[in-house]
Short mmCIF file of all heavy atoms in Angstrom, two decimals:
data_model
loop_
_atom_site.label_atom_id
_atom_site.label_comp_id
_atom_site.label_asym_id
_atom_site.label_seq_id
_atom_site.Cartn_x
_atom_site.Cartn_y
_atom_site.Cartn_z
N CYS A 1415 0.87 -1.17 0.01
CA CYS A 1415 0.02 0.03 -0.03
C CYS A 1415 0.93 1.25 -0.02
O CYS A 1415 1.95 1.15 0.47
CB CYS A 1415 -0.84 0.01 1.26
SG CYS A 1415 -2.02 -1.43 1.33
N VAL A 1416 0.30 2.29 -0.51
CA VAL A 1416 1.11 3.60 -0.51
C VAL A 1416 1.08 4.15 0.88
O VAL A 1416 1.98 5.08 1.10
CB VAL A 1416 0.60 4.60 -1.52
CG1 VAL A 1416 0.76 4.06 -2.99
CG2 VAL A 1416 -0.91 5.00 -1.29
N ASP A 1417 0.16 3.84 1.77
CA ASP A 1417 0.14 4.38 3.06
C ASP A 1417 -0.80 3.52 3.94
O ASP A 1417 -1.58 2.71 3.45
CB ASP A 1417 -0.41 5.91 3.06
CG ASP A 1417 0.17 6.66 4.23
OD1 ASP A 1417 0.60 6.08 5.15
OD2 ASP A 1417 0.07 7.88 4.10
N GLN A 1418 -0.60 3.66 5.27
CA GLN A 1418 -1.50 2.96 6.22
C GLN A 1418 -1.91 4.11 7.19
O GLN A 1418 -1.07 4.89 7.74
CB GLN A 1418 -0.70 1.98 6.96
CG GLN A 1418 -1.57 1.21 8.09
CD GLN A 1418 -0.71 0.36 8.90
OE1 GLN A 1418 0.07 0.83 9.70
NE2 GLN A 1418 -0.92 -0.94 8.82
N VAL A 1419 -3.26 4.15 7.40
CA VAL A 1419 -3.79 5.22 8.34
C VAL A 1419 -4.51 4.47 9.45
O VAL A 1419 -5.41 3.67 9.07
CB VAL A 1419 -4.76 6.10 7.64
CG1 VAL A 1419 -5.18 7.24 8.60
CG2 VAL A 1419 -4.09 6.84 6.46
N LYS A 1420 -4.18 4.61 10.65
CA LYS A 1420 -4.93 3.77 11.85
C LYS A 1420 -5.09 4.67 12.97
O LYS A 1420 -4.40 5.72 13.20
CB LYS A 1420 -3.86 2.67 12.01
CG LYS A 1420 -2.53 3.06 12.43
CD LYS A 1420 -1.57 1.85 12.62
CE LYS A 1420 -0.22 2.31 13.03
NZ LYS A 1420 0.64 2.73 12.02
N GLY A 1421 -5.99 4.29 13.81
CA GLY A 1421 -6.25 4.88 15.10
C GLY A 1421 -6.92 6.19 15.18
O GLY A 1421 -7.06 6.84 16.17
N LEU A 1422 -7.54 6.63 14.08
CA LEU A 1422 -8.28 7.83 13.98
C LEU A 1422 -9.84 7.71 13.87
O LEU A 1422 -10.55 8.62 13.62
CB LEU A 1422 -7.88 8.69 12.71
CG LEU A 1422 -6.37 8.97 12.57
CD1 LEU A 1422 -6.09 9.71 11.35
CD2 LEU A 1422 -5.86 9.76 13.76
N GLY A 1423 -10.29 6.42 14.11
CA GLY A 1423 -11.68 6.18 14.07
C GLY A 1423 -12.09 6.43 12.57
O GLY A 1423 -11.41 6.15 11.66
N VAL A 1424 -13.30 6.96 12.41
CA VAL A 1424 -13.83 7.30 11.09
C VAL A 1424 -12.83 8.20 10.31
O VAL A 1424 -12.77 8.16 9.08
CB VAL A 1424 -15.28 7.79 11.12
CG1 VAL A 1424 -15.26 9.22 11.71
CG2 VAL A 1424 -15.85 7.90 9.76
N ASN A 1425 -12.14 9.03 11.09
CA ASN A 1425 -11.20 9.89 10.37
C ASN A 1425 -10.01 9.23 9.73
O ASN A 1425 -9.36 9.78 8.86
CB ASN A 1425 -10.72 10.99 11.37
CG ASN A 1425 -11.75 11.98 11.64
OD1 ASN A 1425 -12.57 12.39 10.71
ND2 ASN A 1425 -11.86 12.28 12.95
N SER A 1426 -9.83 7.94 10.03
CA SER A 1426 -8.83 7.09 9.22
C SER A 1426 -9.28 7.01 7.80
O SER A 1426 -8.40 7.21 6.79
CB SER A 1426 -8.73 5.75 9.79
OG SER A 1426 -8.14 5.72 11.07
N TYR A 1427 -10.53 6.88 7.50
CA TYR A 1427 -11.03 6.87 6.14
C TYR A 1427 -10.91 8.21 5.47
O TYR A 1427 -10.60 8.37 4.30
CB TYR A 1427 -12.50 6.41 6.06
CG TYR A 1427 -12.75 4.90 6.44
CD1 TYR A 1427 -13.01 4.49 7.78
CD2 TYR A 1427 -12.74 3.93 5.47
CE1 TYR A 1427 -13.20 3.22 8.08
CE2 TYR A 1427 -12.85 2.59 5.79
CZ TYR A 1427 -13.14 2.28 7.03
OH TYR A 1427 -13.38 0.93 7.38
N ILE A 1428 -11.31 9.25 6.27
CA ILE A 1428 -11.29 10.65 5.74
C ILE A 1428 -9.80 10.96 5.36
O ILE A 1428 -9.61 11.55 4.30
CB ILE A 1428 -11.88 11.61 6.82
CG1 ILE A 1428 -13.26 11.28 7.19
CG2 ILE A 1428 -11.70 13.04 6.25
CD1 ILE A 1428 -14.28 11.19 6.04
N LYS A 1429 -8.81 10.77 6.26
CA LYS A 1429 -7.37 11.00 5.90
C LYS A 1429 -6.93 10.24 4.80
O LYS A 1429 -6.31 10.70 3.88
CB LYS A 1429 -6.60 10.61 7.22
CG LYS A 1429 -5.12 10.75 7.03
CD LYS A 1429 -4.71 12.32 6.98
CE LYS A 1429 -3.25 12.43 6.84
NZ LYS A 1429 -2.89 13.84 6.66
N ALA A 1430 -7.50 8.96 4.63
CA ALA A 1430 -7.10 8.17 3.41
C ALA A 1430 -7.62 8.84 2.12
O ALA A 1430 -6.87 8.86 1.07
CB ALA A 1430 -7.57 6.69 3.55
N MET A 1431 -8.83 9.36 2.20
CA MET A 1431 -9.42 10.03 1.00
C MET A 1431 -8.57 11.26 0.65
O MET A 1431 -8.35 11.50 -0.48
CB MET A 1431 -10.81 10.46 1.36
CG MET A 1431 -11.80 9.39 1.70
SD MET A 1431 -12.90 8.85 0.50
CE MET A 1431 -13.60 10.32 -0.25
N GLU A 1432 -8.13 11.95 1.74
CA GLU A 1432 -7.39 13.16 1.46
C GLU A 1432 -5.91 12.76 0.81
O GLU A 1432 -5.54 13.53 -0.14
CB GLU A 1432 -7.08 13.99 2.80
CG GLU A 1432 -8.37 14.61 3.27
CD GLU A 1432 -8.17 15.15 4.74
OE1 GLU A 1432 -7.20 14.82 5.40
OE2 GLU A 1432 -9.16 15.82 5.14
N ILE A 1433 -5.37 11.74 1.30
CA ILE A 1433 -4.12 11.28 0.66
C ILE A 1433 -4.35 10.90 -0.78
O ILE A 1433 -3.49 11.26 -1.59
CB ILE A 1433 -3.53 10.15 1.52
CG1 ILE A 1433 -3.14 10.57 2.95
CG2 ILE A 1433 -2.40 9.46 0.83
CD1 ILE A 1433 -2.85 9.56 3.96
N LEU A 1434 -5.30 10.10 -1.02
CA LEU A 1434 -5.59 9.69 -2.41
C LEU A 1434 -5.82 10.88 -3.30
O LEU A 1434 -5.37 10.94 -4.51
CB LEU A 1434 -6.74 8.69 -2.45
CG LEU A 1434 -6.37 7.33 -2.11
CD1 LEU A 1434 -7.68 6.44 -2.16
CD2 LEU A 1434 -5.32 6.70 -3.01
N SER A 1435 -6.59 11.91 -2.72
CA SER A 1435 -6.89 13.11 -3.54
C SER A 1435 -5.61 13.84 -3.94
O SER A 1435 -5.41 14.33 -5.06
CB SER A 1435 -7.86 13.96 -2.83
OG SER A 1435 -9.11 13.42 -2.78
N GLU A 1436 -4.70 13.88 -2.96
CA GLU A 1436 -3.41 14.47 -3.20
C GLU A 1436 -2.64 13.75 -4.19
O GLU A 1436 -2.00 14.33 -5.15
CB GLU A 1436 -2.58 14.61 -1.85
CG GLU A 1436 -1.27 15.32 -2.00
CD GLU A 1436 -1.40 16.77 -2.38
OE1 GLU A 1436 -2.45 17.37 -2.08
OE2 GLU A 1436 -0.49 17.39 -2.94
N ILE A 1437 -2.62 12.44 -4.16
CA ILE A 1437 -1.87 11.56 -5.17
C ILE A 1437 -2.57 11.89 -6.53
O ILE A 1437 -1.74 12.03 -7.52
CB ILE A 1437 -2.06 10.03 -4.82
CG1 ILE A 1437 -1.23 9.78 -3.62
CG2 ILE A 1437 -1.72 9.15 -5.91
CD1 ILE A 1437 -1.42 8.37 -3.02
N PHE A 1438 -3.87 11.94 -6.63
CA PHE A 1438 -4.59 12.19 -7.95
C PHE A 1438 -4.08 13.57 -8.53
O PHE A 1438 -3.87 13.67 -9.70
CB PHE A 1438 -6.06 12.16 -7.76
CG PHE A 1438 -6.64 10.85 -7.43
CD1 PHE A 1438 -7.86 10.86 -6.68
CD2 PHE A 1438 -6.04 9.65 -7.60
CE1 PHE A 1438 -8.42 9.62 -6.40
CE2 PHE A 1438 -6.47 8.43 -7.16
CZ PHE A 1438 -7.79 8.47 -6.54
N ARG A 1439 -4.05 14.58 -7.63
CA ARG A 1439 -3.54 15.84 -8.13
C ARG A 1439 -2.12 15.88 -8.60
O ARG A 1439 -1.86 16.68 -9.56
CB ARG A 1439 -3.72 16.91 -6.97
CG ARG A 1439 -5.15 17.44 -6.79
CD ARG A 1439 -5.10 18.70 -5.90
NE ARG A 1439 -4.62 18.42 -4.50
CZ ARG A 1439 -5.45 17.78 -3.54
NH1 ARG A 1439 -6.65 17.60 -3.79
NH2 ARG A 1439 -4.94 17.75 -2.32
N ASN A 1440 -1.34 15.08 -8.05
CA ASN A 1440 0.12 15.00 -8.47
C ASN A 1440 0.47 13.87 -9.37
O ASN A 1440 1.64 13.68 -9.55
CB ASN A 1440 0.94 14.92 -7.18
CG ASN A 1440 0.84 16.16 -6.33
OD1 ASN A 1440 0.68 17.25 -6.77
ND2 ASN A 1440 0.75 15.92 -4.96
N ASP A 1441 -0.51 13.08 -9.87
CA ASP A 1441 -0.30 11.95 -10.65
C ASP A 1441 0.34 12.28 -11.90
O ASP A 1441 -0.12 13.16 -12.67
CB ASP A 1441 -1.59 11.29 -10.90
CG ASP A 1441 -1.42 9.93 -11.62
OD1 ASP A 1441 -0.23 9.47 -11.70
OD2 ASP A 1441 -2.44 9.31 -12.08
N ASP A 1442 1.51 11.70 -12.13
CA ASP A 1442 2.18 11.86 -13.47
C ASP A 1442 2.14 10.56 -14.29
O ASP A 1442 2.87 10.40 -15.26
CB ASP A 1442 3.64 12.24 -13.26
CG ASP A 1442 4.40 11.16 -12.50
OD1 ASP A 1442 3.84 10.12 -12.15
OD2 ASP A 1442 5.57 11.45 -12.22
N GLY A 1443 1.26 9.64 -13.86
CA GLY A 1443 1.08 8.39 -14.66
C GLY A 1443 2.14 7.36 -14.30
O GLY A 1443 2.25 6.31 -14.96
N GLY A 1444 2.95 7.64 -13.31
CA GLY A 1444 4.08 6.67 -12.98
C GLY A 1444 3.65 5.71 -11.81
O GLY A 1444 2.50 5.62 -11.50
N GLN A 1445 4.60 5.02 -11.36
CA GLN A 1445 4.46 4.10 -10.33
C GLN A 1445 4.22 4.86 -9.01
O GLN A 1445 4.67 5.94 -8.82
CB GLN A 1445 5.61 3.21 -10.12
CG GLN A 1445 5.72 2.12 -11.30
CD GLN A 1445 4.54 1.14 -11.21
OE1 GLN A 1445 3.66 1.21 -11.99
NE2 GLN A 1445 4.58 0.32 -10.25
N TYR A 1446 3.60 4.23 -8.05
CA TYR A 1446 3.30 4.90 -6.75
C TYR A 1446 4.31 4.24 -5.71
O TYR A 1446 4.56 3.12 -5.71
CB TYR A 1446 1.75 4.47 -6.29
CG TYR A 1446 0.83 4.97 -7.37
CD1 TYR A 1446 0.30 4.23 -8.29
CD2 TYR A 1446 0.60 6.34 -7.24
CE1 TYR A 1446 -0.57 4.63 -9.26
CE2 TYR A 1446 -0.37 6.87 -8.30
CZ TYR A 1446 -0.91 5.99 -9.18
OH TYR A 1446 -1.79 6.57 -10.19
N GLU A 1447 4.86 5.20 -4.99
CA GLU A 1447 5.80 4.73 -3.97
C GLU A 1447 5.08 4.08 -2.83
O GLU A 1447 4.16 4.60 -2.31
CB GLU A 1447 6.66 5.96 -3.47
CG GLU A 1447 7.69 5.50 -2.63
CD GLU A 1447 8.74 6.56 -2.31
OE1 GLU A 1447 8.88 7.41 -3.23
OE2 GLU A 1447 9.30 6.68 -1.21
#
């Protein structure tokens, strides 16, 4: 996985959505670290 978010309750999902949105904004079509 590109990241692991834990211990934030429902905000774990919200934080993951924010991370993915940032990845989408910066996507250059390459591989994900």
Side-chain angles (χ1 to χ4, degrees):
C1415 296
V1416 298
D1417 209 341
Q1418 180 191 66
V1419 183
K1420 58 188 181 280
L1422 304 176
V1424 67
N1425 288 320
S1426 293
Y1427 290 92
I1428 301 303
K1429 179 69 174 170
M1431 301 254 321
E1432 292 169 347
I1433 293 167
L1434 283 177
S1435 291
E1436 183 67 21
I1437 289 171
F1438 298 153
R1439 278 193 297 278
N1440 297 320
D1441 186 12
D1442 62 1
Q1445 285 295 105
Y1446 301 99
E1447 189 166 325

